[in-house]
Amino acid sequence: MKLKLIAATAFGLEAVVRREIEKLGYEILATENGRVIFAGNERAVVRANLWLRTADRVQILLDSFEAKDSEVLFQRVRGMAWERILPIDAKFVVTCSTVKSRLRSEPNNQKTVKKAIAMRLGECYAQSRLPETGAAYTIKISLLKDRATLTLDTTGEGLHKRGYRSHPVPAPVKETLAAAMVQLSFWKEDRLLVDPCCGSGTIPIEAAMIGRNIAPGLSRHFAAEAWDIIPQKLWKEERAAAYRSIRPAQPLQIEASDIDGRAVAAARANAEEAGVDDCITFSQRDAAAMTASCRHGIVVTNPPYGERIGDAAQIEDLYRGLRAFFHSHPDWSLFMITPDRTCEEKVMGRKAERRRKLYNGRLEVCFYQFHGRK
């Protein structure tokens, strides 16, 4: 079955997600704010959920049309062949978002779409009341400037839910953002990667999973696994292929440290859960006193900041320590996220080679990229 698929993503990561989809071998149809649209089939749904490291979720694009009033919305949705997607016992919910559209009421739009789908299914299955006791389906109606887009979520819990973070710490970086930071650093497996503010270990764990080629969705389940329209054999085949592609013997140099011993213990436990504890060296130490174990290295980190954790004095000490380190080690590169717009001068004494606006949860941050001497 030919499908149009959407990889929903946080703002600022569209290009990273696009590269991941292209690496999987699928044709990009469009790149828009917060999403990448690509062509695929049922197997593409499986592979995208298993392998996309930086996307938030994978959706099937069902329809897109102009809807300026509720009657148009109702009739268009009712006319769709929902019986090809939803079985008689489907437990389906409808969510809604609306921006700059005449149909402003999200609850009313949800009711309109739900009623239209239920009426269509009732007619097709000759049922006056649908049981809704089967597999879960989440349908979203998005309205932007009177343009309605209907999607079907295949993921369930967001793709950042890898399953390994069983020991959280305050203010963690999302797994999808951590993976994007590693990929944007252009780190290679033969270089040392250091996170001196590792917290729960998300950045070094994501780096290790990239280095070992471990599919990020390998240890979890997805909403679409319970659907009839995607054969179970596809999930089995793609999971088996993902297991075969793991490089367990790939040597990696990754160091993770934190000033908080409890954070280090949590990071180590999470790495064990992810199966990558053997390729990460954990230690408790102050990031301001960081030392180098080689000439060329990369620091990828999410340091503490006021809105997140830590006080001003601690942050200033950290900045001074990092500045001293990079002044003494000009061949090293630094990649960090922070909402602090003054950090360039404080940490490096110069402008970053590149900046990228990203979001750590709902907090707007900047991803600063300082390249070391070649």
PDB file of all heavy atoms in Angstrom, residues 243-266:
ATOM      1  N   TYR A 243      18.374  -6.224  14.953  1.00  0.00           N
ATOM      2  CA  TYR A 243      19.280  -6.948  15.855  1.00  0.00           C
ATOM      3  C   TYR A 243      20.549  -7.364  15.120  1.00  0.00           C
ATOM      4  O   TYR A 243      21.661  -7.268  15.656  1.00  0.00           O
ATOM      5  CB  TYR A 243      18.582  -8.179  16.440  1.00  0.00           C
ATOM      6  CG  TYR A 243      17.766  -7.890  17.678  1.00  0.00           C
ATOM      7  CD1 TYR A 243      16.379  -8.004  17.666  1.00  0.00           C
ATOM      8  CD2 TYR A 243      18.386  -7.507  18.866  1.00  0.00           C
ATOM      9  CE1 TYR A 243      15.623  -7.734  18.804  1.00  0.00           C
ATOM     10  CE2 TYR A 243      17.639  -7.247  20.010  1.00  0.00           C
ATOM     11  CZ  TYR A 243      16.264  -7.358  19.968  1.00  0.00           C
ATOM     12  OH  TYR A 243      15.523  -7.087  21.093  1.00  0.00           O
ATOM     13  N   ARG A 244      20.411  -7.808  13.879  1.00  0.00           N
ATOM     14  CA  ARG A 244      21.582  -8.249  13.106  1.00  0.00           C
ATOM     15  C   ARG A 244      22.516  -7.090  12.765  1.00  0.00           C
ATOM     16  O   ARG A 244      23.715  -7.290  12.571  1.00  0.00           O
ATOM     17  CB  ARG A 244      21.130  -8.929  11.805  1.00  0.00           C
ATOM     18  CG  ARG A 244      20.474 -10.292  12.009  1.00  0.00           C
ATOM     19  CD  ARG A 244      20.374 -11.045  10.686  1.00  0.00           C
ATOM     20  NE  ARG A 244      19.579 -10.325   9.690  1.00  0.00           N
ATOM     21  CZ  ARG A 244      18.267 -10.458   9.542  1.00  0.00           C
ATOM     22  NH1 ARG A 244      17.591 -11.291  10.347  1.00  0.00           N
ATOM     23  NH2 ARG A 244      17.619  -9.780   8.613  1.00  0.00           N
ATOM     24  N   SER A 245      21.969  -5.883  12.702  1.00  0.00           N
ATOM     25  CA  SER A 245      22.788  -4.730  12.301  1.00  0.00           C
ATOM     26  C   SER A 245      23.583  -4.121  13.451  1.00  0.00           C
ATOM     27  O   SER A 245      24.425  -3.243  13.236  1.00  0.00           O
ATOM     28  CB  SER A 245      21.901  -3.655  11.675  1.00  0.00           C
ATOM     29  OG  SER A 245      21.089  -3.041  12.660  1.00  0.00           O
ATOM     30  N   ILE A 246      23.338  -4.563  14.681  1.00  0.00           N
ATOM     31  CA  ILE A 246      24.075  -4.040  15.833  1.00  0.00           C
ATOM     32  C   ILE A 246      25.555  -4.404  15.702  1.00  0.00           C
ATOM     33  O   ILE A 246      25.910  -5.521  15.299  1.00  0.00           O
ATOM     34  CB  ILE A 246      23.500  -4.591  17.147  1.00  0.00           C
ATOM     35  CG1 ILE A 246      22.064  -4.084  17.350  1.00  0.00           C
ATOM     36  CG2 ILE A 246      24.361  -4.185  18.343  1.00  0.00           C
ATOM     37  CD1 ILE A 246      21.360  -4.690  18.548  1.00  0.00           C
ATOM     38  N   ARG A 247      26.410  -3.455  16.061  1.00  0.00           N
ATOM     39  CA  ARG A 247      27.863  -3.694  16.032  1.00  0.00           C
ATOM     40  C   ARG A 247      28.373  -3.797  17.470  1.00  0.00           C
ATOM     41  O   ARG A 247      28.918  -2.832  18.020  1.00  0.00           O
ATOM     42  CB  ARG A 247      28.566  -2.558  15.292  1.00  0.00           C
ATOM     43  CG  ARG A 247      28.117  -2.387  13.849  1.00  0.00           C
ATOM     44  CD  ARG A 247      29.002  -1.397  13.098  1.00  0.00           C
ATOM     45  NE  ARG A 247      28.829  -0.043  13.599  1.00  0.00           N
ATOM     46  CZ  ARG A 247      28.081   0.890  13.010  1.00  0.00           C
ATOM     47  NH1 ARG A 247      27.402   0.593  11.903  1.00  0.00           N
ATOM     48  NH2 ARG A 247      27.982   2.106  13.515  1.00  0.00           N
ATOM     49  N   PRO A 248      28.236  -4.952  18.103  1.00  0.00           N
ATOM     50  CA  PRO A 248      28.594  -5.065  19.527  1.00  0.00           C
ATOM     51  C   PRO A 248      30.081  -4.916  19.812  1.00  0.00           C
ATOM     52  O   PRO A 248      30.469  -4.565  20.929  1.00  0.00           O
ATOM     53  CB  PRO A 248      28.099  -6.474  19.891  1.00  0.00           C
ATOM     54  CG  PRO A 248      28.085  -7.222  18.601  1.00  0.00           C
ATOM     55  CD  PRO A 248      27.715  -6.218  17.559  1.00  0.00           C
ATOM     56  N   ALA A 249      30.910  -5.164  18.808  1.00  0.00           N
ATOM     57  CA  ALA A 249      32.358  -5.084  19.025  1.00  0.00           C
ATOM     58  C   ALA A 249      32.948  -3.740  18.625  1.00  0.00           C
ATOM     59  O   ALA A 249      34.170  -3.552  18.693  1.00  0.00           O
ATOM     60  CB  ALA A 249      33.055  -6.202  18.246  1.00  0.00           C
ATOM     61  N   GLN A 250      32.104  -2.788  18.204  1.00  0.00           N
ATOM     62  CA  GLN A 250      32.602  -1.487  17.778  1.00  0.00           C
ATOM     63  C   GLN A 250      33.256  -0.754  18.948  1.00  0.00           C
ATOM     64  O   GLN A 250      32.607  -0.445  19.943  1.00  0.00           O
ATOM     65  CB  GLN A 250      31.450  -0.645  17.238  1.00  0.00           C
ATOM     66  CG  GLN A 250      31.818   0.800  16.895  1.00  0.00           C
ATOM     67  CD  GLN A 250      32.750   0.905  15.716  1.00  0.00           C
ATOM     68  OE1 GLN A 250      32.491   0.299  14.680  1.00  0.00           O
ATOM     69  NE2 GLN A 250      33.821   1.648  15.864  1.00  0.00           N
ATOM     70  N   PRO A 251      34.569  -0.473  18.861  1.00  0.00           N
ATOM     71  CA  PRO A 251      35.219   0.252  19.964  1.00  0.00           C
ATOM     72  C   PRO A 251      34.783   1.712  19.979  1.00  0.00           C
ATOM     73  O   PRO A 251      34.741   2.367  18.933  1.00  0.00           O
ATOM     74  CB  PRO A 251      36.710   0.109  19.642  1.00  0.00           C
ATOM     75  CG  PRO A 251      36.769  -0.104  18.164  1.00  0.00           C
ATOM     76  CD  PRO A 251      35.518  -0.834  17.799  1.00  0.00           C
ATOM     77  N   LEU A 252      34.456   2.219  21.153  1.00  0.00           N
ATOM     78  CA  LEU A 252      34.007   3.599  21.296  1.00  0.00           C
ATOM     79  C   LEU A 252      34.739   4.264  22.455  1.00  0.00           C
ATOM     80  O   LEU A 252      35.104   3.602  23.434  1.00  0.00           O
ATOM     81  CB  LEU A 252      32.498   3.662  21.548  1.00  0.00           C
ATOM     82  CG  LEU A 252      31.576   3.073  20.481  1.00  0.00           C
ATOM     83  CD1 LEU A 252      30.127   3.106  20.962  1.00  0.00           C
ATOM     84  CD2 LEU A 252      31.705   3.830  19.166  1.00  0.00           C
ATOM     85  N   GLN A 253      34.943   5.572  22.320  1.00  0.00           N
ATOM     86  CA  GLN A 253      35.546   6.356  23.395  1.00  0.00           C
ATOM     87  C   GLN A 253      34.534   7.408  23.852  1.00  0.00           C
ATOM     88  O   GLN A 253      34.388   8.454  23.226  1.00  0.00           O
ATOM     89  CB  GLN A 253      36.810   7.056  22.896  1.00  0.00           C
ATOM     90  CG  GLN A 253      37.881   6.143  22.352  1.00  0.00           C
ATOM     91  CD  GLN A 253      39.059   6.945  21.819  1.00  0.00           C
ATOM     92  OE1 GLN A 253      39.845   7.512  22.590  1.00  0.00           O
ATOM     93  NE2 GLN A 253      39.176   7.018  20.512  1.00  0.00           N
ATOM     94  N   ILE A 254      33.850   7.110  24.925  1.00  0.00           N
ATOM     95  CA  ILE A 254      32.837   8.020  25.449  1.00  0.00           C
ATOM     96  C   ILE A 254      33.045   8.167  26.953  1.00  0.00           C
ATOM     97  O   ILE A 254      33.146   7.164  27.664  1.00  0.00           O
ATOM     98  CB  ILE A 254      31.406   7.499  25.163  1.00  0.00           C
ATOM     99  CG1 ILE A 254      31.199   7.305  23.654  1.00  0.00           C
ATOM    100  CG2 ILE A 254      30.368   8.456  25.718  1.00  0.00           C
ATOM    101  CD1 ILE A 254      29.868   6.660  23.307  1.00  0.00           C
ATOM    102  N   GLU A 255      33.112   9.399  27.408  1.00  0.00           N
ATOM    103  CA  GLU A 255      33.285   9.676  28.835  1.00  0.00           C
ATOM    104  C   GLU A 255      32.109  10.507  29.331  1.00  0.00           C
ATOM    105  O   GLU A 255      31.720  11.486  28.693  1.00  0.00           O
ATOM    106  CB  GLU A 255      34.599  10.425  29.094  1.00  0.00           C
ATOM    107  CG  GLU A 255      35.837   9.608  28.744  1.00  0.00           C
ATOM    108  CD  GLU A 255      37.132  10.380  28.992  1.00  0.00           C
ATOM    109  OE1 GLU A 255      37.045  11.528  29.512  1.00  0.00           O
ATOM    110  OE2 GLU A 255      38.207   9.856  28.681  1.00  0.00           O
ATOM    111  N   ALA A 256      31.559  10.099  30.472  1.00  0.00           N
ATOM    112  CA  ALA A 256      30.422  10.803  31.063  1.00  0.00           C
ATOM    113  C   ALA A 256      30.729  11.081  32.530  1.00  0.00           C
ATOM    114  O   ALA A 256      31.124  10.176  33.268  1.00  0.00           O
ATOM    115  CB  ALA A 256      29.155   9.961  30.936  1.00  0.00           C
ATOM    116  N   SER A 257      30.536  12.325  32.922  1.00  0.00           N
ATOM    117  CA  SER A 257      30.804  12.680  34.319  1.00  0.00           C
ATOM    118  C   SER A 257      29.802  13.727  34.784  1.00  0.00           C
ATOM    119  O   SER A 257      29.141  14.388  33.989  1.00  0.00           O
ATOM    120  CB  SER A 257      32.238  13.213  34.481  1.00  0.00           C
ATOM    121  OG  SER A 257      32.427  14.364  33.681  1.00  0.00           O
ATOM    122  N   ASP A 258      29.706  13.863  36.097  1.00  0.00           N
ATOM    123  CA  ASP A 258      28.809  14.852  36.695  1.00  0.00           C
ATOM    124  C   ASP A 258      29.307  15.128  38.103  1.00  0.00           C
ATOM    125  O   ASP A 258      29.910  14.248  38.749  1.00  0.00           O
ATOM    126  CB  ASP A 258      27.369  14.331  36.724  1.00  0.00           C
ATOM    127  CG  ASP A 258      26.350  15.461  36.872  1.00  0.00           C
ATOM    128  OD1 ASP A 258      26.197  15.984  37.995  1.00  0.00           O
ATOM    129  OD2 ASP A 258      25.722  15.821  35.864  1.00  0.00           O
ATOM    130  N   ILE A 259      29.035  16.330  38.591  1.00  0.00           N
ATOM    131  CA  ILE A 259      29.455  16.677  39.940  1.00  0.00           C
ATOM    132  C   ILE A 259      28.616  15.954  40.995  1.00  0.00           C
ATOM    133  O   ILE A 259      29.036  15.760  42.129  1.00  0.00           O
ATOM    134  CB  ILE A 259      29.383  18.207  40.144  1.00  0.00           C
ATOM    135  CG1 ILE A 259      30.142  18.630  41.401  1.00  0.00           C
ATOM    136  CG2 ILE A 259      27.928  18.680  40.182  1.00  0.00           C
ATOM    137  CD1 ILE A 259      30.285  20.142  41.539  1.00  0.00           C
ATOM    138  N   ASP A 260      27.412  15.523  40.601  1.00  0.00           N
ATOM    139  CA  ASP A 260      26.469  14.851  41.505  1.00  0.00           C
ATOM    140  C   ASP A 260      26.644  13.334  41.393  1.00  0.00           C
ATOM    141  O   ASP A 260      26.394  12.748  40.335  1.00  0.00           O
ATOM    142  CB  ASP A 260      25.038  15.253  41.127  1.00  0.00           C
ATOM    143  CG  ASP A 260      24.000  14.724  42.099  1.00  0.00           C
ATOM    144  OD1 ASP A 260      24.320  13.813  42.878  1.00  0.00           O
ATOM    145  OD2 ASP A 260      22.854  15.212  42.057  1.00  0.00           O
ATOM    146  N   GLY A 261      27.053  12.712  42.484  1.00  0.00           N
ATOM    147  CA  GLY A 261      27.262  11.267  42.477  1.00  0.00           C
ATOM    148  C   GLY A 261      25.991  10.489  42.196  1.00  0.00           C
ATOM    149  O   GLY A 261      26.035   9.413  41.578  1.00  0.00           O
ATOM    150  N   ARG A 262      24.845  11.004  42.634  1.00  0.00           N
ATOM    151  CA  ARG A 262      23.580  10.309  42.378  1.00  0.00           C
ATOM    152  C   ARG A 262      23.257  10.315  40.889  1.00  0.00           C
ATOM    153  O   ARG A 262      22.723   9.346  40.348  1.00  0.00           O
ATOM    154  CB  ARG A 262      22.455  10.964  43.165  1.00  0.00           C
ATOM    155  CG  ARG A 262      22.566  10.786  44.685  1.00  0.00           C
ATOM    156  CD  ARG A 262      21.562  11.647  45.419  1.00  0.00           C
ATOM    157  NE  ARG A 262      21.795  13.070  45.163  1.00  0.00           N
ATOM    158  CZ  ARG A 262      21.067  14.051  45.676  1.00  0.00           C
ATOM    159  NH1 ARG A 262      20.036  13.767  46.454  1.00  0.00           N
ATOM    160  NH2 ARG A 262      21.350  15.315  45.403  1.00  0.00           N
ATOM    161  N   ALA A 263      23.587  11.407  40.222  1.00  0.00           N
ATOM    162  CA  ALA A 263      23.371  11.475  38.775  1.00  0.00           C
ATOM    163  C   ALA A 263      24.252  10.469  38.060  1.00  0.00           C
ATOM    164  O   ALA A 263      23.813   9.797  37.116  1.00  0.00           O
ATOM    165  CB  ALA A 263      23.649  12.885  38.272  1.00  0.00           C
ATOM    166  N   VAL A 264      25.496  10.354  38.491  1.00  0.00           N
ATOM    167  CA  VAL A 264      26.418   9.388  37.864  1.00  0.00           C
ATOM    168  C   VAL A 264      25.898   7.966  38.044  1.00  0.00           C
ATOM    169  O   VAL A 264      25.926   7.155  37.100  1.00  0.00           O
ATOM    170  CB  VAL A 264      27.835   9.530  38.451  1.00  0.00           C
ATOM    171  CG1 VAL A 264      28.763   8.448  37.885  1.00  0.00           C
ATOM    172  CG2 VAL A 264      28.406  10.915  38.158  1.00  0.00           C
ATOM    173  N   ALA A 265      25.406   7.654  39.244  1.00  0.00           N
ATOM    174  CA  ALA A 265      24.855   6.319  39.493  1.00  0.00           C
ATOM    175  C   ALA A 265      23.644   6.063  38.605  1.00  0.00           C
ATOM    176  O   ALA A 265      23.476   4.961  38.060  1.00  0.00           O
ATOM    177  CB  ALA A 265      24.478   6.179  40.969  1.00  0.00           C
ATOM    178  N   ALA A 266      22.783   7.071  38.450  1.00  0.00           N
ATOM    179  CA  ALA A 266      21.607   6.923  37.591  1.00  0.00           C
ATOM    180  C   ALA A 266      22.021   6.745  36.140  1.00  0.00           C
ATOM    181  O   ALA A 266      21.456   5.912  35.414  1.00  0.00           O
ATOM    182  CB  ALA A 266      20.698   8.147  37.734  1.00  0.00           C
TER     183      ALA A 266
END
